[in-house]
């Protein structure tokens, strides 16, 4: 720059010279140079991204049409290129739309909508088309058949990268065996080095879309990979919503103010935002008034015995209205004022106005505006005579007893001075003003009394003052005035943010739901334990979002190395840039040892046989880049991700700790099961008696439920003893080879081909026992089965 | 004598089998087998006004099959009971160490002892529960090698017949070695004025070399550090049967006070046998912390472990007397300890010519 400037005087044509080189860049051309931003940075990656874009579109299209998705992906080698075919059973695309959808970047219906969908910018599939044409020179081949139409439309098209417009090479009708759907065929320079990511993408997509069916064929597979449907339940249809007041930024607000057809702020708020009705809008407007106009301080009204004096003041202020009416006016007014606890300037004006009307009517006298103003002007100084004393009592109330009285008097006096001298006649101040008053007063007190009012003490005083101040009723500016004034708009924005407003409706979101998250994990991972959690919706930048987490543990999952983390945004798996993703950051920051997972060093990715999946659904997912690989570190989202994971992890923890305690119990039972019989044998040797029965002792030690059988001359006694500390309800089935008779209690007998099933489900309280007796022929044999009690807690001796 | 010992063997055997039967019955009733024992810590020993010794208090701990640890202990107990019962049946004996090694031959691996402390402790447990002494189980400790030297004639019942021995005239300079079961000794005749128990070998040898035993008609008992049961038992018998005063001469440090404590009051580990082993009338000669000050003896500074031991003695009911509190406080104050042999700083004869005569005179022993 400096070099140009130094030569400016000599060569005036330089700007024109430069201008010759400046021209509009077509968006297609721009992305041609920035392929990496869209996930097409390498041949390996490009293939995965192309599949991803096409599958995402297919899923969105089918779901929108209420069709259970059936998606077919095929990759094959064709000479030097790879051919990619993706077919869906969606509603199809009309003949007019096909070229635009596939042949024009940034064409889409979703960019402007606040609604959860997989694609957002409308670049994905057209970028794939572009990538294919740039690497292979071949046009994209698209077949689409809409429901009910007899034929399918077939196109071959390329993108004109200068104009960002589709260029149709071939267009004809053709026949297709699918009744409806879309098929896209792309040829591109690529390789299969990212095979793992491709498989992951399809697998993960199957996990979060349990309602969809997928089939993948690629050269490295002997058999096609098939993922079957686990549920018939389609995701909830989403609907579009207006922005939420907590989520907009100043620039957006200004744009909305400029564009709205509303005239009043109240109308604007209710029309343009979600969750704002009359009540909320008046709350927002009050909060705006507090910021824009400030509040008015209320002061303690004089005691009743000072009424006479006040009446005199009022009477003096009224001229030429006759003695009777003047006295009536003054007395009525003073009565009302004294009857109030505290009063603000505006309130006084209102009261004066009311009294003027009522007394005026009674006495047939007109107390006009001038009279009213005179009265207020005369009365207000009297009412605010003792600001210092009033503030002192507030300060005294909220400061600790440790503060000296002299200090309190000093700070109160300084605050009172501020109100008297800087707020105009109405004692009106914003929160910031009050803050300044108190800070200034505290400094003076430090100087004069050498007493420090720290931050907390000052805050308490500010809060006490602010709570005594009243929101004013001044008219708020009109929408068009706010739209022109950044500062006023900022006050409005702050008012919106300060006000408690219901979270945005979530019908714009379609979470998978905890139940289906678990279902999806169960479908694709063979584990021992599954848990899932879906959080309530939260808001970020006016966009609601929902976070869900699921965990699968144990079973066939690999136990060495770190756990597998599956990240999803709006049901789309994120397979690249795991390290840059906020989900990964959150997972690494959680202390997994608390949840029973190994975590070397106490932070970072935990180890163990587990799969953790996190799904963030939002009307606007904040990605770190256009390629949509990683979620940005947005605090509101991070918090929810953490809470969702912790919720699911808590279930894992209790599962693991239960498993560990059962393992310990099993181990103890194993050891005792070895030691106690040896001891019994030894004892019988020493005492010369028969070996004692140790089952009772063992069951008691293990706090178990024991089931014993005693057969005496055809009389069978089953005894259930509960040595545990909780109630137990075992289901006992005794299979007897001969017909039992004389059953007591509530047992039932079922005859099944010469075997009798005696079913008995006693409720046994802690420390109690239950018995069942029946008679049976001498040579009967028994086979007992006990359910409803964990194996580890059961001692069967029958 | 023979019939008497047989009776005690029979009683011992019976009691062991009763104990096994109790475990058996507990099993049979569906209860968890357990064995209750007095808690063996210093907080659970109390002074018995009648016998003037320290015995276990009321607090008990339970070895129960409820836990794997407890079950292992009881399994070992069952095996040990069987072993002891058979040993008594066959009239044989064994040492504690042999029991530890013998457990290796038991078929149940869980019953093997992991170290000798464990087997020793179990034998003590069985002593307490069955109220039979180890000696009556025919369990011997390894020879401690403690000796007697002085004007005493005894008859010892050895496995090779009776021996009549004079503990001055019939023995070499090493003295008469106390057998494992001193109840096999009969006192025949003596000329003893007092019994002096000496902690270290060096001091014992000094006293003999200087002819202290002859000059003062003293029976010198060599304790060899923490005295074995046999040493304490014979000391008690000398006191009780021959009505002799007993004094204890040790180093001047906290560990040595415990040696005196176990002679006089009984040890915490074997408080169940205090009546049988402790000599409550035994008195402490020195080295007292006061002597360190009075004689300006060469000293070592107290180590941290010494200080802890002294502090813990202040909480030990056996040492809660004015004398001990005063001495221990003094020692903590000066922060020093001294060995018996530190007296040699004043010459080799100082101990026999000056220190002991003065101390014993003060104590009214001579």
């Amino acid at each position: 720059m400096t070099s140009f400037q130094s030569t400016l005087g000599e060569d005036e044509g330089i700007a024109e010279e430069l201008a010759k080189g400046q021209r509009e860049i077509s968006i297609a051309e721009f992305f041609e140079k920035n392929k990496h931003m869209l996930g097409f940075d390498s041949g390996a990656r490009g293939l995965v991204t192309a599949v991803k874009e096409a599958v995402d579109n297919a899923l969105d299209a089918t779901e929108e049409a209420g069709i259970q998705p059936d998606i077919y992906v095929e990759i094959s080698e064709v000479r030097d290129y790879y051919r990619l075919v993706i077919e869906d059973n969606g509603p199809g695309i009309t003949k007019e739309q096909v070229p635009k959808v596939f042949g024009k970047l940034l064409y889409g219906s979703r960019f402007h909508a606040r609604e959860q969908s997989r694609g957002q910018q409308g670049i994905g599939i057209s970028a794939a088309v572009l990538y294919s044409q740039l690497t292979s020179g071949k046009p994209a081949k698209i077949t689409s058949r809409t429901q009910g139409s007899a034929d399918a439309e077939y196109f071959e098209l390329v993108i004109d990268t200068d104009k960002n417009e589709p260029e149709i090479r071939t267009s004809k009708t053709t026949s297709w065996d699918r009744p409806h759907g879309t098929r896209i065929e792309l040829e591109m320079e690529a390789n299969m080095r990212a095979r793992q990511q491709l498989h992951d993408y399809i697998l993960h997509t199957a996990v979060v879309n349990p309602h969809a069916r997928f089939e993948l064929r690629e050269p490295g597979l002997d058999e096609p990979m098939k993922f079957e449907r686990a549920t018939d339940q389609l995701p909830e249809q989403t609907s579009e919503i207006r922005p939420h007041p907590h989520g907009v930024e100043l620039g957006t607000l200004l744009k909305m103010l400029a564009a709205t057809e509303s005239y009043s702020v109240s109308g604007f708020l209710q029309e343009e935002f979600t969750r704002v009705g009359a009540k909320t809008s008046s709350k927002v407007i009050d909060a705006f008034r507090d910021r824009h106009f400030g509040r008015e301080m209320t002061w303690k009204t004089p005691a009743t015995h000072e009424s006479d004096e006040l009446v005199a003041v009022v009477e003096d202020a009224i001229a030429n209205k006759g003695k009777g009416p003047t006295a009536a006016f003054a007395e009525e007014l003073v009565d009302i004022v004294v009857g109030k606890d505290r009063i603000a300037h505006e309130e006084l004006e209102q009261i004066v106005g009311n009294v003027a009307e009522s007394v005026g009517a009674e006495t047939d006298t007109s107390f006009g505006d001038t009279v009213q103003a005179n009265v207020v002007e005369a009365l207000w100084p009297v009412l605010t005579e003792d600001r210092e004393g009033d503030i002192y009592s507030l300060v005294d109330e909220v400061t600790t007893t440790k503060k000296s009285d002299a200090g309190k008097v000093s700070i109160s006096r300084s605050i009172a001075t501020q109100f008297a001298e800087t707020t105009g006649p109405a004692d009106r101040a914003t929160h910031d003003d009050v803050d300044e008053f108190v800070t200034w007063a505290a400094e003076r007190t430090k100087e004069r009394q050498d007493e420090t009012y720290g931050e907390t003490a000052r805050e308490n005083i500010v809060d006490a003052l602010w709570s005594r101040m009243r929101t004013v009723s001044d008219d708020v500016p009109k929408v068009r005035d706010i739209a022109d004034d950044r500062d006023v708009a900022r006050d409005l924005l702050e008012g919106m943010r300060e006000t408690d407003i219901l979270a945005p409706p979530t019908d714009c979101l379609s979470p998978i739901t905890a139940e289906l998250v678990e279902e999806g994990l169960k479908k694709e991972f063979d584990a021992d334990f599954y848990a899932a959690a879906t959080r309530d919706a939260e808001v970020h930048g006016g966009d609601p979002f929902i976070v869900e987490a699921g965990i699968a543990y144990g079973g066939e999952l690999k136990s060495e190395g770190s756990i597998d983390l599956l990240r999803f945004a709006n049901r789309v798996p994120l397979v690249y840039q795991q390290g840059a993703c906020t989900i990964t950051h959150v997972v690494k920051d959680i202390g997994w040892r608390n949840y029973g997972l190994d975590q070397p060093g106490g932070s970072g990715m935990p180890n163990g046989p587990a799969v953790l999946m996190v799904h963030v659904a939002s009307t606007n997912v904040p990605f770190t880049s256009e390629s949509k690989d990683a979620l940005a570190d947005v605090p509101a989202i991070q918090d929810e991700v953490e809470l969702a994971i912790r919720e699911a992890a808590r279930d894992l923890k209790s599962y693991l700790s239960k498993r560990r305690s059962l393992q310990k119990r099993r181990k103890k039972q194993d050891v005792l099961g070895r030691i106690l019989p040896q001891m019994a044998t030894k004892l019988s040797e020493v005492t010369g008696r028969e070996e004692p029965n140790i089952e009772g002792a063992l069951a008691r030690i293990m706090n178990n439920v024991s089931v014993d059988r005693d057969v005496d001359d055809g009389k069978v006694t089953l005894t259930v003893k509960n040595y545990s500390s909780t109630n137990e309800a075992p289901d006992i089935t005794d299979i007897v080879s001969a017909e039992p008779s004389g059953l007591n209690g509530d047992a039932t007998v079922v005859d099944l081909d010469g075997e009798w099933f005696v079913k008995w489900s006693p409720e046994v309280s802690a420390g109690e026992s239950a018995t069942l007796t029946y008679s049976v022929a001498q040579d009967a044999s028994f086979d007992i089965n006990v359910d409803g009690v964990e194996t580890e807690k059961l001692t069967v001796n029958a | 004598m023979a019939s008497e010992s047989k009776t005690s063997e029979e009683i011992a055997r019976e009691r062991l089998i009763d104990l096994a039967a109790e475990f058996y019955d507990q099993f049979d009733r569906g209860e968890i087998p357990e064995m209750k024992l007095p808690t063996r810590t210093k907080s659970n020993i109390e002074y018995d006004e009648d016998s003037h010794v320290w015995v276990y208090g009321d607090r008990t701990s339970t070895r129960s099959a409820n836990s794997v640890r407890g079950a292992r202990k009881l399994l070992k107990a069952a095996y040990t009971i069987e072993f002891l019962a058979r040993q008594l049946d066959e009239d044989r004996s064994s040492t504690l160490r042999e029991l530890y090694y013998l457990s290796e031959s038991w078929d149940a691996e869980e019953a093997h002892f992991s170290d000798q402390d464990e087997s020793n402790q179990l034998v003590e447990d069985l002593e307490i529960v069955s109220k039979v002494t180890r000696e009556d189980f025919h369990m011997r400790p390894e020879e401690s090698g403690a000796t007697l030297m002085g004007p005493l004639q005894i008859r010892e019942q050895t496995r090779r017949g009776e021996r009549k021995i004079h503990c001055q005239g019939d023995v070499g300079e090493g003295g008469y070695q106390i057998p494992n079961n001193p109840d096999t000794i009969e006192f025949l005749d003596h000329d003893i004025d007092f019994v002096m128990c000496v902690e270290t070998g060096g001091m014992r040898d000094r006293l003999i070399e200087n002819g202290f035993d002859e000059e003062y008609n003293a029976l010198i008992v060599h304790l060899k550090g923490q005295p074995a049961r046999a040493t304490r038992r014979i000391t008690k018998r000398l006191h009780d049967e021959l009505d002799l005063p007993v004094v204890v001469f040790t180093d001047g440090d906290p560990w040595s006070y415990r040696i005196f404590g176990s002679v006089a009051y009984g040890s915490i580990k074997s408080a169940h046998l205090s009546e049988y082993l402790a000599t409550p009338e035994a008195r402490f000669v020195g080295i007292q912390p006061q002597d360190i000050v009075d004689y300006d003896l060469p000293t070592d500074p107290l180590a941290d472990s010494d200080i802890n031991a002294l502090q813990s003695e202040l909480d030990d009911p056996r040492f809660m007397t004015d004398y001990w509190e005063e001495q221990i406080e003094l020692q903590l104050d000066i922060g020093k300890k001294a060995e018996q042999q530190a007296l040699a700083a004043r010459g080799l004869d100082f101990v026999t010519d000056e220190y002991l005569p003065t101390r014993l005179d003060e104590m009214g022993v001579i």
Side-chain angles (χ1 to χ4, degrees), chain B residues 193-199 223 235 239 244-251 256-257 259-265 278-288 291 319 321 323-324 340 355-356 358-366:
Chain B
D193 287 343
F194 63 93
V195 176
M196 178 179 277
C197 304
V198 180
E199 178 186 354
L223 297 175
T235 306
H239 173 270
L244 294 170
V246 174
V247 297
V248 180
F249 184 25
T250 68
D251 285 340
S256 301
Y257 307 153
I259 290 174
F260 164 73
S262 77
V263 172
Y265 312 127
T279 313
E281 296 81 3
R283 296 168 68 196
F284 186 66
V285 176
I287 304 292
Q288 320 170 83
D291 298 333
F319 287 95
T321 63
Y323 171 77
W324 279 110
Q340 290 181 307
Y355 178 75
L356 284 176
T358 313
R359 268 299 283 150
L360 294 170
D361 187 38
E362 264 173 30
M363 293 163 73
V365 176
I366 52 171

Side-chain angles (χ1 to χ4, degrees), chain A residues 31-274:
Chain A
F31 282 122
E32 188 181 328
K33 293 206 168 79
N34 295 283
K35 293 190 287 247
H36 58 279
M37 284 177 65
L38 290 169
F40 290 95
D41 37 354
S42 70
R45 176 94 203 261
L47 196 60
V48 178
T49 306
V51 169
K52 182 172 141 106
E53 298 297 350
V55 170
D56 289 352
N57 280 6
L59 284 168
D60 273 343
T62 43
E63 279 167 25
E64 238 167 67
I67 299 165
Q68 294 186 349
D70 197 343
I71 294 166
Y72 174 82
V73 178
E74 183 187 314
I75 297 166
S76 53
E77 284 170 90
V78 184
R79 291 175 305 278
D80 295 340
Y81 304 115
Y82 278 89
R83 178 191 289 150
L84 170 60
V85 176
I86 289 128
E87 276 182 32
D88 66 50
N89 58 341
I93 303 168
T94 58
K95 190 178 175 186
E96 296 70 36
Q97 292 293 327
V98 168
K100 288 179 182 163
V101 168
F102 293 95
K104 187 174 167 71
L105 276 83
L106 289 175
Y107 184 87
S109 57
R110 311 198 159 276
F111 189 62
H112 304 282
R114 278 176 198 271
E115 183 183 0
Q116 174 188 339
S117 59
R118 295 181 176 82
Q120 273 166 351
Q121 291 107 325
I123 15 187
I125 192 62
S126 40
V129 170
L130 181 58
Y131 180 74
S132 137
Q133 108 191 24
L134 288 171
T135 56
S136 72
K138 298 274 176 58
K141 296 170 184 162
I142 293 133
T143 313
S144 190
R145 181 170 170 189
T146 52
Q147 196 144 17
S149 57
D151 295 308
E153 300 295 331
Y154 176 80
F155 293 90
E156 289 185 12
L157 58 83
V158 294
I159 299 171
D160 179 336
T161 55
D162 287 337
K163 298 196 197 116
N164 184 22
E165 287 295 336
E167 193 182 311
I168 297 163
R169 296 272 170 86
T170 312
S171 168
K172 60 176 185 188
T173 46
T174 178
S175 63
W176 195 25
D177 50 1
R178 288 205 188 235
H180 51 88
T182 306
R183 176 184 197 275
I184 175 165
E185 182 180 331
L186 299 171
E187 269 183 47
M188 55 178 70
E189 206 171 76
N191 62 64
M192 288 299 292
R193 275 199 288 276
R195 172 172 281 120
Q196 191 56 49
Q197 279 87 343
L198 178 69
H199 289 185
D200 281 354
Y201 168 74
I202 300 280
L203 168 68
H204 298 178
T205 306
V207 170
V208 287
N209 296 285
H211 61 288
R213 195 184 152 275
F214 296 93
E215 181 171 340
L216 169 69
R217 289 169 195 257
E218 52 103 344
L221 289 172
D222 298 332
E223 292 276 310
M225 273 168 82
K226 288 185 178 173
F227 302 88
E228 293 304 328
R229 200 167 273 137
T231 173
D232 292 341
Q233 193 185 328
L234 281 176
E236 291 288 322
Q237 286 283 352
T238 58
S239 49
E240 216 180 312
I241 59 157
R242 288 167 290 168
H244 190 271
H246 283 177
V248 291
E249 269 139 32
L250 186 57
T252 318
L253 179 64
L254 285 166
K255 259 189 228 161
M256 290 171 77
L257 284 163
T260 185
E261 284 169 12
S262 295
Y263 173 73
S264 71
V265 173
S266 174
F268 167 71
L269 289 170
Q270 295 181 53
E271 282 303 310
E272 303 294 330
F273 292 94
T274 182

Side-chain angles (χ1 to χ4, degrees), chain B residues 226-343:
Chain B
Q226 187 62 250
R229 274 192 194 185
T231 315
R232 286 188 277 151
R233 174 66 186 153
I234 202 160
T235 306
K236 168 138 186 98
R237 284 191 58 205
L238 285 164
H239 173 270
D240 287 3
E241 291 171 30
L242 305 181
D243 197 20
L244 294 170
V246 174
V247 297
V248 180
F249 184 25
T250 68
D251 285 340
D253 65 45
W255 317 102
S256 301
Y257 307 153
R258 290 184 185 182
I259 290 174
F260 164 73
S262 77
V263 172
Y265 312 127
S267 64
I268 294 171
K269 261 176 57 172
S270 55
H272 57 295
L273 296 167
S274 284
E275 268 182 74
Y276 172 78
L277 296 177
T279 313
E281 296 81 3
R283 296 168 68 196
F284 186 66
V285 176
I287 304 292
Q288 320 170 83
Q290 188 62 48
D291 298 333
I292 298 175
V293 178
D294 291 351
Y295 295 105
D296 192 19
L297 297 177
T299 56
D300 288 319
L302 291 178
D304 287 348
S305 57
D306 294 327
I307 293 170
N308 288 339
L310 285 170
Q311 302 282 14
S312 136
E313 277 161 15
L314 284 174
D315 299 334
D316 189 326
R318 296 177 301 169
F319 287 95
M320 280 183 187
T321 63
D322 290 347
Y323 171 77
W324 279 110
E325 269 164 33
E326 191 182 312
Q327 292 298 324
I328 292 169
E329 299 280 6
L330 175 63
Q331 184 151 32
L332 285 169
D333 202 34
I334 61 177
K336 290 169 180 167
K337 61 181 179 181
E339 292 182 5
Q340 290 181 307
Q341 273 138 305
L343 293 165

Side-chain angles (χ1 to χ4, degrees), chain B residues 56-76:
Chain B
Y56 289 127
D58 296 334
R59 295 231 316 273
T60 57
S61 30
T62 306
R63 308 241 189 288
S64 158
N66 217 339
S67 68
V68 168
R69 243 171 78 93
R72 283 205 183 101
K73 280 216 154 72
L74 292 187
L75 177 67
K76 290 169 191 183

Side-chain angles (χ1 to χ4, degrees), chain A residues 668 671-672 674-676 678-680 682-687 689-694 696-697 700-701 723, chain B residues 17 20-21 23-25 27-28 30-33 65-68 71-72 74-75 78-79 81-82 108 110:
Chain A
K668 180 177 175 183
V671 177
L672 289 179
R674 207 163 56 235
I675 293 178
L676 296 187
Q678 288 171 340
M679 183 173 165
K682 203 39 67 172
L683 292 175
S684 78
E685 273 174 44
V686 177
T687 54
R689 304 191 219 168
E690 258 179 63
E691 282 205 26
N693 178 4
I694 62 166
R700 195 181 286 264
I701 291 169
Y723 295 106
Chain B
I17 290 170
F23 291 147
Y24 184 99
D25 292 341
F27 265 135
D28 220 35
E31 291 168 6
I32 304 168
N66 217 339
S67 68
V68 168
R72 283 205 183 101
L74 292 187
L75 177 67
Y79 270 80
I81 287 170
E82 197 229 3
E110 305 275 359

Side-chain angles (χ1 to χ4, degrees), chain A residues 289-329:
Chain A
R289 282 197 179 103
D290 285 349
R291 267 157 201 81
H292 187 64
F293 301 114
R295 286 186 182 178
E296 281 185 3
M297 186 64 185
T298 59
W299 301 103
K300 193 107 188 123
T301 52
T304 332
H305 64 260
E306 289 170 56
S307 295
D308 291 351
E309 200 182 314
L310 295 176
V311 169
V313 170
V314 175
E315 283 174 348
D316 282 354
I318 304 173
N320 304 326
K321 293 294 174 193
K323 207 169 178 195
T326 302
F329 182 98

Side-chain angles (χ1 to χ4, degrees), chain A residues 492 555 735:
Chain A
L492 177 60
I735 306 168

